[in-house]
Amino acid sequence: MKTLFNNRQFGTKTLSRYCFASFFLFSLNGFSQEQQAVADSTKTKDIPLDEVLVSAVRVTAQSPVTFSNLRKEEFQTRNLGQDIPIMMNYLPSVVTTTDAGAGVGYTGIRVRGSDATRVNVTINGIPYNDSESQGTFWVNMPDFASSTESLQLQRGVGTSTNGAGASGASLNMLTDSYSKEASGEISNSFGSFNTRKHTVKFSTGLMNDKFEIAGRLSNIVSDGYIDRAFSDLKSYFLQGTYVGENTLIKALAFGGTQKTYQAWYGLEDLELLENDRTFNVAGMYFDDEGNMKFYDNETDNYQQDHYQLHWNERWSNNWSTNLAFHYTKGKGYFEQYKEDEDFADYGLNPITLGGETIDITDLIRRRWLDNDFYGTTFSLNYKKDKIDFIFGGGANKYEGAHFGEIIWARYASQSEIRDRYYDDFSTKTDVNVFAKLNYDLTNKWRLFGDVQYRNVGFKANGEDTGFVNDNFNFINPKAGITFTLNQNNNFYFSYAKAQREPNRNDYENGSPKPEKLDDFELGWRLATANTKLNVNGYFMKYKDQLVLTGELNDVGAPIRENSGDSYRIGLEVDATFKLSEKFYLQPNFTISQNKNQDFVFQRDGVLQNLGSTNIAFSPNFIAANRLTYIPIKNLQLSFLSKYVGEQYMGNIDAESSKLEAYFVNDLNISYEIKTNKIFKSIQLNALINNIFDLKYESNGYFYTFDDDSSGSITTFEGAGFYPQAGINFLTGITLLF
């Protein structure tokens, strides 16, 4: 969600006992990935005006950048209430998790081992990552997949874009295009854990061939797999479009409200993990008789509303522009029951009752965020003959109020209603400009150049951060070359530099340095009538990478620290094979090594150089697969598999921090009934997740603490895990008219 309540980072546990299906071990390139054919593209092509919204930040198969595309028709059969990261689970090098265990509520994503704070997310080219935490909180945009036309995941640094620099990946989303004809849609789905999704969509079609109004209302509710981890999510999407011969103007308003019971504590008790996997310690307290109870409103409550205005203009066959303005309003709180809290931590004075001095109390608190994010982005595109040039940038500002309130206390001391026990206001500015050039040297050789200048300013003065007034200037160059061997094959090599500022939580944990990344990519793309194959090798060399320590702060946000020198090196392979008119196979896998170099750690009171250690939450092997069978027209059956290798939740290679590998399989069934009466079509979808009922954990945390009670310092270790649901299902029906 937001700065105080960051999404959790995650790992994996439990090797699957179903390895007999090793045929499915190799993983899917993200459904039928419709990558552009590898061909000589020296001609200037007309880009649909709607795609100009993201053309400045997206790439094609002629670019020396590693990417995957995912279009609406490729994920809509699984769009039954789960968040976008879960639907991206089968893309190369991707690992996902969910706090509540069933894909609804708080979800997270990692790419090549890089956590969500390093995945730059834009919506129609507008930055979406939270400015302070740099995280992406999909729970604030429930059912956004129903209004998404397509997305592109660039792995590695990728091309220059708006928002924070990508240190692991960039995700560019394009919302629904305009419709020429009037249409309507009613979609309902139901499933395990009382999960329900209800969606209504409409479009007026182009009125007078110029104007369209479209919209969506959605409601998603779920009890969650974990005890009390319910979600109540509501969202809307409204879009007005003007279409001219060379003009496209879009005004969008979208957002949502969410109420979720927290589940970010996980389970530290291994006996509970084995015998009571759904146990949730959130909200737990003990009454005066020592009876265990749970506070019924240990919830996250947040509303976020987005407003965008886009003006795309094609001035000639060679020149086009995009100008956008945006504003996001977010406001909400996390409510929490706390036992035996010190008066001093809340600015309260001790009181005397019956001759006894009281300076602790049970209380219920709310930790608030009230923030505004606004700015503008632009791009200018020139295409002619051998040249494709883009100049773009953006200027954005974030203003965020952080404050806490006590809404009930057993002993209230001198407190008054709506007193704030902390009150902090922070601001962040982000200004960037970039220039990109694709130049065709010959029919076979294409050069790519890209440079970005970014200025970031961050100010805060909270008790958690201390006084912060930092300013960063980053210059991020990128360059590459593509060689088109023939109609079916091309090869590429690229270099890209990324620099990224610390986030708010990093300041809370010390005096962080900005992280720097040099990314080298070498790849081969093959495209024939029946085969698409992408092979990519990468080497990502970091300086002062802010790696996850495995620990969480007091509100579940991950703690990071600069690791000095580190690197990620790997090989990614993904493919689509048309085996026949009825069978399609889509595997991918990633083999990698992710290392800290000369990692220093204090154990038993002594500072030690541990040498080369594994980077936290970075498995060396990730794979998945989708096998699709189309027995008859309009019926599709897909068997999906995901394997994530073992990994460490910390950076010291401690055995207690290891998460075991897991191998999960899903079954997706889709059937469409064409009709000319009342409805254009009726779509029936079913999704059976974890079909072999595997017990596994896709998330966890790891911590160390020192004990000097024996007279000498001894370092102890602890770990917690996030259980995921066993076999569960979702079914849905969509009526199109």
Side-chain angles (χ1 to χ4, degrees):
M1 177 179 118
K2 35 264 176 209
T3 301
L4 282 175
F5 322 128
N6 282 325
N7 57 338
R8 266 60 65 196
Q9 311 312 317
F10 45 94
T12 61
K13 197 173 192 286
T14 311
L15 180 64
S16 172
R17 58 188 180 276
Y18 300 106
C19 290
F20 71 89
S22 59
F23 174 71
F24 297 109
L25 185 73
F26 302 99
S27 54
L28 156 75
N29 178 3
F31 308 88
S32 50
Q33 190 187 329
E34 290 199 12
Q35 291 203 13
Q36 299 181 21
V38 178
D40 180 20
S41 61
T42 58
K43 302 177 185 177
T44 299
K45 295 181 180 179
D46 288 336
I47 300 176
L49 276 172
D50 206 56
E51 295 185 11
V52 178
L53 288 170
V54 291
S55 62
V57 294
R58 284 196 175 180
V59 295
T60 70
Q62 296 303 310
S63 304
V65 176
T66 309
F67 71 97
S68 299
N69 287 334
L70 196 59
R71 301 189 65 84
K72 181 186 291 289
E73 56 268 24
E74 298 167 334
F75 59 75
Q76 62 184 0
T77 62
R78 300 178 68 237
N79 182 22
L80 300 171
Q82 296 176 313
D83 276 349
I84 285 179
I86 306 303
M87 284 181 277
M88 294 173 59
N89 186 45
Y90 299 95
L91 292 177
S93 298
V94 166
V95 180
T96 64
T97 190
T98 170
D99 281 7
V104 180
Y106 272 94
T107 57
I109 188 171
R110 292 199 319 269
V111 183
R112 290 184 178 175
S114 296
D115 65 274
T117 64
R118 293 178 179 81
V119 180
N120 177 287
V121 179
T122 58
I123 301 173
N124 300 326
I126 304 299
Y128 179 65
N129 296 64
D130 177 79
S131 294
E132 287 192 286
S133 72
Q134 301 173 356
T136 303
F137 302 98
W138 302 100
V139 71
N140 296 332
M141 295 197 305
D143 200 28
F144 196 71
S146 293
S147 296
T148 299
E149 183 72 17
S150 65
L151 59 85
Q152 181 178 92
L153 180 67
Q154 297 175 15
R155 303 189 296 279
V157 171
T159 63
S160 291
T161 184
N162 299 300
S167 294
S170 296
L171 176 60
N172 310 310
M173 295 189 292
L174 174 65
T175 56
D176 280 346
S177 178
Y178 62 87
S179 175
K180 294 183 179 180
E181 298 181 356
S183 63
E185 178 180 323
I186 299 174
S187 179
N188 294 280
S189 60
F190 307 86
S192 301
F193 319 117
N194 291 319
T195 301
R196 305 186 306 278
K197 180 176 85 78
H198 309 290
T199 302
V200 177
K201 292 182 66 176
F202 76 92
S203 169
T204 63
L206 282 181
M207 299 176 289
N208 298 323
D209 293 326
K210 295 291 184 183
F211 301 95
E212 184 227 28
I213 298 175
R216 171 184 57 82
L217 290 174
S218 298
N219 180 216
I220 300 174
V221 294
S222 177
D223 289 346
Y225 168 67
I226 302 300
D227 295 345
R228 304 182 309 287
F230 66 81
S231 299
D232 187 356
L233 317 174
K234 298 177 175 64
S235 66
Y236 68 92
F237 183 90
L238 184 64
Q239 174 177 279
T241 306
Y242 167 78
V243 183
E245 183 178 354
N246 294 299
T247 303
L248 176 69
I249 297 175
K250 274 191 171 186
L252 300 94
F254 58 91
T257 61
Q258 60 96 355
K259 182 172 185 175
T260 56
Y261 196 100
Q262 289 304 311
W264 49 260
Y265 289 103
L267 276 179
E268 293 187 51
D269 190 320
L270 296 182
E271 183 177 345
L272 284 175
L273 191 64
E274 182 65 28
N275 301 314
D276 192 3
R277 295 173 56 79
T278 65
F279 187 85
N280 186 5
V281 300
M284 183 174 68
Y285 69 97
F286 295 88
D287 64 17
D288 291 339
E289 285 72 42
N291 299 311
M292 180 189 298
K293 293 188 175 181
F294 296 93
Y295 181 53
D296 62 0
N297 202 37
E298 190 97 351
T299 57
D300 201 19
N301 304 262
Y302 200 72
Q303 178 169 345
Q304 192 174 77
D305 300 289
H306 301 255
Y307 307 94
Q308 298 182 359
L309 177 64
H310 297 268
W311 172 30
N312 301 328
E313 190 75 26
R314 181 182 291 122
W315 301 98
S316 68
N317 290 334
N318 307 121
W319 291 94
S320 62
T321 58
N322 175 48
L323 178 64
F325 299 93
H326 67 89
Y327 171 64
T328 300
K329 176 64 180 179
K331 188 174 184 179
Y333 60 88
F334 169 46
E335 186 166 312
Q336 189 176 31
Y337 186 99
K338 299 289 288 183
E339 288 186 286
D340 299 330
E341 293 291 281
D342 290 335
F343 275 22
D345 292 340
Y346 297 85
L348 303 178
N349 299 323
I351 60 175
T352 301
L353 289 177
E356 179 183 359
T357 299
I358 297 175
D359 58 4
I360 61 172
T361 183
D362 300 336
L363 55 83
I364 299 172
R365 68 186 187 184
R366 287 179 176 176
R367 305 187 69 170
W368 279 87
L369 285 177
D370 186 352
N371 45 51
D372 302 88
F373 178 60
Y374 53 91
T376 182
T377 64
F378 68 92
S379 65
L380 169 71
N381 186 205
Y382 174 75
K383 297 183 71 172
K384 185 177 181 181
D385 300 329
K386 299 180 178 182
I387 297 175
D388 184 356
F389 174 75
I390 297 174
F391 177 75
N396 306 295
K397 187 173 184 179
Y398 169 90
E399 299 173 334
H402 305 251
F403 59 92
E405 296 178 338
I406 300 172
I407 65 170
W408 172 86
R410 189 174 305 279
Y411 303 105
S413 184
Q414 83 281 10
S415 64
E416 298 287 345
I417 188 172
R418 295 187 179 87
D419 277 354
R420 297 181 177 181
Y421 65 90
Y422 69 90
D423 198 350
D424 173 31
F425 189 82
S426 57
T427 61
K428 185 175 182 179
T429 57
D430 188 338
V431 178
N432 79 93
V433 291
F434 57 80
K436 306 177 185 181
L437 175 65
N438 285 283
Y439 181 74
D440 294 321
L441 283 174
T442 68
N443 289 338
K444 293 184 177 294
W445 293 92
R446 167 178 276 204
L447 295 178
F448 169 77
D450 179 346
V451 64
Q452 179 198 55
Y453 167 73
R454 185 165 171 255
N455 173 264
V456 180
F458 179 56
K459 296 181 180 179
N461 190 21
E463 291 185 4
D464 49 359
T465 62
F467 179 74
V468 179
N469 186 9
D470 270 353
N471 190 273
F472 303 94
N473 291 283
F474 300 132
I475 297 177
N476 300 315
K478 306 168 182 69
I481 189 167
T482 303
F483 172 64
T484 302
L485 178 65
N486 52 39
Q487 180 176 319
N488 304 118
N489 294 270
N490 78 7
F491 302 85
Y492 63 88
F493 173 76
S494 66
Y495 162 77
K497 188 176 189 65
Q499 301 175 84
R500 192 179 181 93
E501 72 279 8
N503 66 24
R504 181 186 178 93
N505 294 324
D506 298 328
Y507 285 100
E508 295 175 12
N509 300 314
S511 301
K513 303 175 185 177
E515 52 186 342
K516 301 177 182 179
L517 166 63
D518 294 292
D519 180 22
F520 301 86
E521 306 275 335
L522 176 64
W524 165 44
R525 297 185 179 107
L526 167 69
T528 67
N530 296 320
T531 302
K532 292 179 182 178
L533 175 66
N534 301 297
V535 180
N536 179 71
Y538 63 87
F539 177 60
M540 304 169 71
K541 182 174 177 58
Y542 292 86
K543 180 67 176 178
D544 296 321
Q545 181 181 182
L546 285 159
V547 297
L548 301 172
T549 66
E551 296 181 79
L552 306 177
N553 67 13
D554 64 341
V555 289
I559 294 176
R560 310 191 303 181
E561 63 181 5
N562 293 115
S563 70
D565 294 327
S566 57
Y567 67 87
R568 303 179 187 274
I569 186 170
L571 175 69
E572 299 168 321
V573 179
D574 64 81
T576 299
F577 301 109
K578 181 180 179 181
L579 304 179
S580 69
E581 293 299 323
K582 294 187 175 183
F583 283 97
Y584 294 82
L585 183 66
Q586 296 168 295
N588 71 53
F589 66 88
T590 301
I591 302 173
S592 66
Q593 189 177 74
N594 310 274
K595 296 289 186 179
N596 300 295
Q597 297 175 281
D598 296 319
F599 191 79
V600 177
F601 176 73
Q602 183 169 299
R603 178 183 282 129
D604 300 332
V606 179
L607 204 61
Q608 302 179 17
N609 187 329
L610 303 182
S612 178
T613 67
N614 290 284
I615 299 176
F617 299 104
S618 299
N620 292 336
F621 187 67
I622 303 171
N625 185 71
R626 176 175 177 170
L627 175 65
T628 299
Y629 174 50
I630 306 174
I632 60 174
K633 186 178 181 181
N634 299 330
L635 175 62
Q636 178 177 296
L637 295 86
S638 295
F639 189 77
L640 304 102
S641 304
K642 184 74 176 187
Y643 178 88
V644 178
E646 67 177 24
Q647 59 197 285
Y648 292 93
M649 296 184 290
N651 297 282
I652 61 174
D653 290 352
E655 283 299 312
S656 61
S657 74
K658 185 180 290 187
L659 286 167
E660 296 178 10
Y662 65 84
F663 182 36
V664 179
N665 300 272
D666 304 334
L667 179 64
N668 186 204
I669 304 171
S670 176
Y671 182 62
E672 184 176 19
I673 304 171
K674 296 287 188 179
T675 176
N676 294 322
K677 298 179 180 179
I678 305 178
F679 304 108
K680 293 181 180 178
S681 73
I682 302 173
Q683 296 177 353
L684 304 173
N685 298 301
L687 179 63
I688 305 175
N689 298 300
N690 195 1
I691 195 168
F692 297 123
D693 198 26
L694 177 72
K695 288 184 178 181
Y696 73 104
E697 294 79 46
S698 64
N699 194 355
Y701 54 87
F702 171 73
Y703 59 91
T704 62
F705 61 94
D706 292 334
D707 183 3
D708 60 359
S709 59
S710 63
S712 61
I713 299 175
T714 303
T715 299
F716 292 92
E717 301 168 353
F721 307 95
Y722 294 81
Q724 300 298 289
I727 185 170
N728 64 96
F729 73 94
L730 291 165
T731 60
I733 179 171
T734 299
L735 308 175
L736 302 174
F737 54 91

